[in-house]
Amino acid sequence: MAVVWVNAIQGCHVSITYWFVFLVITLILNTYTSFYLSRRDDLGTTQKVAQVILVWLIPLISAIGLLLFYKGQDDENDPDKGSFGGGPSNSIGTSHSGD
């Protein structure tokens, strides 16, 4: 009986350790996302507050979703990244007006 009790306690310890790691990762991700959202210039105050509340109400899903969404928005608006293809130039670097 004592062996079963000891194994049960050890099993709980492992389970608690995994939950603790999960909780710490979630807190770090939510804190990072909250600061990231609060520092954005393209969001109004009401949007910032609503999205930070959403991050804490639906922890992992909303934090990851909002980070991916805004990182994608930032990548599309990055002036250092040129567009691939298109434009008036052909592959050898000469341009033509189409007349």
Side-chain angles (χ1 to χ4, degrees), residues 4-20:
V4 173
W5 180 253
V6 170
N7 287 338
I9 292 173
Q10 288 175 346
C12 286
H13 178 68
V14 171
S15 178
I16 291 171
T17 303
Y18 287 130
W19 277 110
F20 181 73

Side-chain angles (χ1 to χ4, degrees), residues 44-81:
T45 304
T46 306
Q47 286 179 315
K48 289 179 184 180
V49 170
Q51 289 182 7
V52 168
I53 289 172
L54 186 67
V55 164
W56 289 98
L57 285 178
I58 309 171
L60 291 174
I61 297 169
S62 60
I64 293 170
L66 287 170
L67 279 175
L68 290 174
F69 176 76
Y70 286 118
K71 292 285 186 177
Q73 293 290 327
D74 292 343
D75 289 345
E76 289 176 6
N77 296 328
D78 190 5
D80 294 334
K81 292 187 177 185

Side-chain angles (χ1 to χ4, degrees), residues 34-53 70:
S34 297
F35 281 119
Y36 180 78
L37 291 172
S38 67
R39 298 189 50 87
R40 290 194 61 88
D41 294 332
D42 59 340
L43 296 176
T45 304
T46 306
Q47 286 179 315
K48 289 179 184 180
V49 170
Q51 289 182 7
V52 168
I53 289 172
Y70 286 118

